[in-house]
Amino acid sequence: MSPKQGEQTDFEQRSDEDLVGLVSEDKELYSYLVRRYESRLLRYIVRISGVDRDDAEDILQESFINAYRNLCGFDRERKFSSWIYRITHNSTISDARRRKVRQRHLIPDVEAELVERIASDEDVARDAERKMEAEEVRGMLAELNERHRDILVLYYLEQMSYTEISDVLHVPVGTVGTRLMRAKKAFRKIIVK
């Protein structure tokens, strides 16, 4: 049942959840899901871990392998995107534990984007009146704990909803709101130092 050239467009148009169901019949269709998510997940890995591209690609490959092995456990009533982000998040954290040293920096353009998005939030905007250099931002983000940095990246850079973040981090939706509020507060304290 491997896709023929004319069928490729059809498979590209299918929802993630439909493709997951079809992968059990034809494992080659998993490549559509990989292509759909690989660049976003690679960027996400770098944003939350600070590893170089080669290491991020290794983590990404491990994440896709883990996801493939566990496709039968995926609940098709839920969003595949949240599920694959959770697997990737867990793989990234596991990799950091294996290394026992977590690099506490992000690439400068990502940091600037994060600050801009956080600063555009009405609550934070009052306290972030001036533009910051990437160097300053890197230092500020390094001061945040992992929990705060992760939730800011998911919300502001990955633009996930509270429900999606809840699925990724495996915490209740109410906890997402609380953590986000605390992360913004922690970030604000660093800004006004």
Side-chain angles (χ1 to χ4, degrees), residues 61-79:
Q61 182 177 14
E62 179 184 332
S63 300
F64 279 127
I65 290 169
N66 288 338
Y68 181 78
R69 286 181 181 151
N70 293 293
L71 271 181
C72 61
F74 171 67
D75 178 359
R76 290 178 47 196
E77 297 298 314
R78 304 202 68 147
K79 289 184 78 172

Side-chain angles (χ1 to χ4, degrees), residues 50-61:
V51 297
D52 64 29
R53 186 172 176 86
D54 288 339
D55 290 337
E57 287 175 350
D58 290 343
I59 295 167
L60 180 64
Q61 182 177 14

Side-chain angles (χ1 to χ4, degrees), residues 18-175:
D18 285 346
L19 281 173
V20 168
L22 293 171
V23 169
S24 64
E25 298 169 25
D26 183 358
K27 60 185 167 206
E28 297 294 319
L29 295 177
Y30 189 64
S31 65
Y32 286 94
L33 292 167
V34 170
R35 281 194 303 268
R36 220 174 256 182
Y37 284 94
E38 65 188 339
S39 63
R40 285 191 278 177
L41 292 174
L42 185 64
R43 188 177 63 239
Y44 175 67
I45 292 166
V46 171
R47 286 174 171 170
I48 67 168
S49 70
V51 297
D52 64 29
R53 186 172 176 86
D54 288 339
D55 290 337
E57 287 175 350
D58 290 343
I59 295 167
L60 180 64
Q61 182 177 14
E62 179 184 332
S63 300
F64 279 127
I65 290 169
N66 288 338
Y68 181 78
R69 286 181 181 151
N70 293 293
L71 271 181
C72 61
F74 171 67
D75 178 359
R76 290 178 47 196
E77 297 298 314
R78 304 202 68 147
K79 289 184 78 172
F80 178 80
S81 60
S82 298
W83 186 74
I84 192 73
Y85 266 89
R86 180 172 5 126
I87 290 172
T88 303
H89 181 85
N90 291 341
S91 294
T92 305
I93 298 305
S94 294
D95 180 75
R97 286 185 185 135
R98 278 191 299 268
R99 293 172 190 270
K100 299 209 186 221
V101 175
R102 181 167 174 150
Q103 297 175 358
R104 296 232 170 226
H105 62 82
L106 304 174
I107 56 177
D109 60 327
V110 170
E111 293 162 359
E113 182 183 353
L114 177 61
V115 169
E116 188 176 311
R117 289 194 183 176
I118 294 170
S120 69
D121 187 294
E122 294 174 15
D123 295 337
V124 180
R126 292 185 301 254
D127 298 328
E129 294 174 356
R130 62 184 180 87
K131 262 210 180 260
M132 294 168 238
E133 300 290 327
E135 199 71 25
E136 293 171 309
V137 175
R138 196 175 9 263
M140 285 182 261
L141 289 173
E143 291 181 45
L144 290 174
N145 68 37
E146 180 180 317
R147 184 178 285 189
H148 290 156
R149 187 174 46 257
D150 289 351
I151 200 153
L152 290 174
V153 167
L154 287 169
Y155 185 75
Y156 288 102
L157 294 177
E158 299 302 320
Q159 299 179 338
M160 289 188 172
S161 69
Y162 280 30
T163 304
E164 291 169 318
I165 295 170
S166 168
D167 287 345
V168 171
L169 298 179
H170 225 13
V171 297
V173 174
T175 302

